Amino acid sequence: MSFQAVFIFGYLFITIAIGVYAAKKVKNSKDFILAGRSLPLPISTAALFATWFGSETILGSSVEFAKGGFLSVIQDPFGGALCLFLLGLIFAKYLYRMQILTFGDFYRNRYGKKMEFIAGICLIFSYFGWVAAQFVALGIMVQILFGINQFTAIVIGALLVVFYTYLGGMWSVSLTDFFQSISIVFGLVIVLFELNEVKPIWTSIQEKPDGFFRFFPESNFHAWTLYLSAWMVVGFGSLPQQDIFQRVMSAKSEKVAIKASYLSSIFYLVFALIPLFLGLHAKSLLPDFDLNSETGQLLIPTMISKFSSPWIQVLFFSALISAILSTASGAILAPSSILSENILKYAFTDMDDKKLLLLSRTSVLIIAGISFLLAVGKPSIYALVEDSGGISLVTLFIPMVFGLMSQKADERSALFSLFVGIVTWLFLEIYGDDMTSHFYGTIASLLAILVGMYFFPKKGQSLEAK
């Protein structure tokens, strides 16, 4: 076992210990899903910051930026930062006041049980590819550090994150996120400074062609449609996601929830830029590296291995594993909460809180098991994240906005919006331009709910009154 592997093993042991300690705070399903709604500002901010700071940020977006500049990474990190900002500006206060456990509860209370069930299915399916991508990323790191085959590495990585998530739920996710966020920030900053000594990063920036750092697209309709679609997939589509909901609802007060959203938006944008410029720097230091190959996502790890000291390698791989673990644990817990609270519990009678807690933990194993099968079947991080797509954007975003901001939409309008949105998206994915399918799917969902509100007025409200 290498010098780096020994220290990484110790780091993983500390992470597990924190997760096990957090499990002692779990007494009921509310503790498991929302950490008892008691997180202070620093931990709440770290939990929201860690939402997306995973394998896609460090291994995926960095390569895309090295290939195409800012216009290639609008979706992440800029869309992610927009989502967190909008959460604090508009949505956190409404959601926090509702005293609910899951987003499925919102759709049930606002629209009815049919919408709760269908929304729950959409939310769950949107997470499988995302969780599987984190399993693959963990497997890659375990494989690199400990020299074992990829299948065994994915098994070990998956078992690690499932273990402490199963025990402690949101308490484990939150406390490990706090520890892991510190590791991410510290590790990436130190790596940036050392690699700047190898070759000034400013030099790598100056070597890029004109237009590489352009932030706005060309002045034509299609280019702007692609641009807006990239902003919307994460910027809007993640707002009705359960992981965002759980993290903001776990705050100890409405004020903390709002502040944590703003702070995490700033921190995410600032620190997510570091992997982008590290990727740009790596392309300059490794001119023969094939960014389009299957190993393209290892651009930054390859640079670190070749140009950094052993201690810096330990810091970087600790930061990377931290990012993956924090994203994976939250991504597993989110659909598990929906599965237990909004789908499975209706199949049982006499569900006291102890049984609900067991059902929540069992749901963690179900979600993790399905995601694991995806991970070993398609071991490409990019493909798995792409598969998870913007399902929630085209199905749930518009019903969420109208459910919060208006009392005129009823369950029929919401279901019609969801149906038209997903059919439009699927049609364009198969037969049209899949690059803009999310944009047009969302527009279709918006038009559908407006039509639904007119033709399906809420009970007690006539067409003339409208």
Side-chain angles (χ1 to χ4, degrees), residues 54-303:
S55 60
E56 182 65 12
T57 307
I58 298 179
L59 301 179
S61 295
S62 58
V63 176
E64 294 303 312
F65 180 69
K67 290 192 290 187
F70 278 131
L71 288 176
S72 298
V73 292
I74 294 299
Q75 182 172 318
D76 183 27
F78 297 103
L82 173 65
C83 174
L84 293 170
F85 177 78
L86 291 176
L87 184 66
L89 182 67
I90 301 172
F91 298 100
K93 62 181 178 181
Y94 291 109
L95 295 172
Y96 195 87
R97 295 170 186 174
M98 291 185 176
Q99 301 292 322
I100 52 180
L101 291 179
T102 71
F103 240 124
D105 294 346
F106 163 75
Y107 289 107
R108 181 192 66 235
N109 293 350
R110 180 60 183 82
Y111 294 116
K113 285 193 174 183
K114 290 180 183 177
M115 188 64 183
E116 174 192 16
F117 181 80
I118 296 173
I121 295 296
C122 291
L123 283 168
I124 290 169
F125 271 91
S126 71
Y127 278 99
F128 285 132
W130 186 242
V131 176
Q134 309 314 311
F135 284 171
V136 171
L138 275 174
I140 290 172
M141 291 301 101
V142 172
Q143 183 180 19
I144 291 173
L145 292 168
F146 299 99
I148 57 181
N149 66 72
Q150 188 177 57
F151 177 81
T152 304
I154 291 176
V155 171
I156 293 173
L159 287 176
L160 173 68
V161 69
V162 169
F163 176 69
Y164 70 78
T165 306
Y166 174 87
L167 288 178
M170 196 61 198
W171 268 115
S172 288
V173 170
S174 300
L175 293 188
T176 53
D177 275 354
F178 183 69
F179 171 67
Q180 289 157 356
S181 295
I182 294 172
S183 299
I184 291 168
V185 171
F186 182 73
L188 288 177
V189 169
I190 297 299
V191 166
L192 190 68
F193 275 102
E194 174 160 298
L195 289 174
N196 190 64
E197 295 297 318
V198 176
K199 177 182 178 180
I201 292 179
W202 181 247
T203 302
S204 297
I205 293 173
Q206 291 178 314
E207 291 172 353
K208 302 311 294 181
D210 291 340
F212 186 85
F213 296 103
R214 189 174 72 241
F215 196 72
F216 297 101
E218 297 176 0
S219 299
N220 63 73
F221 180 78
H222 184 66
W224 272 95
T225 303
L226 288 171
Y227 184 71
L228 293 175
S229 182
W231 276 102
M232 290 166 62
V233 168
V234 176
F236 293 172
S238 291
L239 284 167
Q241 286 281 16
Q242 176 65 15
D243 54 345
I244 287 287
F245 172 85
Q246 279 182 273
R247 293 167 193 259
V248 75
M249 291 290 285
S250 298
K252 69 177 184 179
S253 69
E254 179 183 320
K255 185 178 292 186
V256 167
I258 293 171
K259 286 184 178 179
S261 301
Y262 284 133
L263 289 173
S264 61
S265 174
I266 296 169
F267 290 156
Y268 182 72
L269 183 58
V270 170
F271 290 106
L273 289 176
I274 295 179
L276 300 189
F277 285 97
L278 284 176
L280 176 64
H281 201 44
K283 179 58 179 172
S284 178
L285 292 173
L286 302 167
D288 297 326
F289 191 91
D290 186 0
L291 298 178
N292 297 307
S293 68
E294 291 185 1
T295 59
Q297 58 199 0
L298 297 180
L299 174 64
I300 292 182
T302 302
M303 174 183 65

Side-chain angles (χ1 to χ4, degrees), residues 359-372:
L359 186 62
S360 297
R361 284 176 165 155
T362 303
S363 297
V364 167
L365 299 180
I366 294 172
I367 296 296
I370 296 173
S371 300
F372 172 77

Side-chain angles (χ1 to χ4, degrees), residues 4-13 145-146 314 317-318 321:
Q4 293 94 328
V6 171
F7 279 89
I8 296 297
F9 181 81
Y11 175 84
L12 292 174
F13 179 80
L145 292 168
F146 299 99
V314 169
F317 285 113
S318 296
I321 290 176

Side-chain angles (χ1 to χ4, degrees), residues 369-400:
I370 296 173
S371 300
F372 172 77
L373 294 176
L374 281 176
V376 297
K378 185 184 286 188
S380 164
I381 294 172
Y382 181 80
L384 288 165
V385 171
E386 185 178 43
D387 287 347
S388 66
I391 297 175
S392 59
L393 173 63
V394 300
T395 58
L396 300 177
F397 174 67
I398 296 299
M400 179 196 73

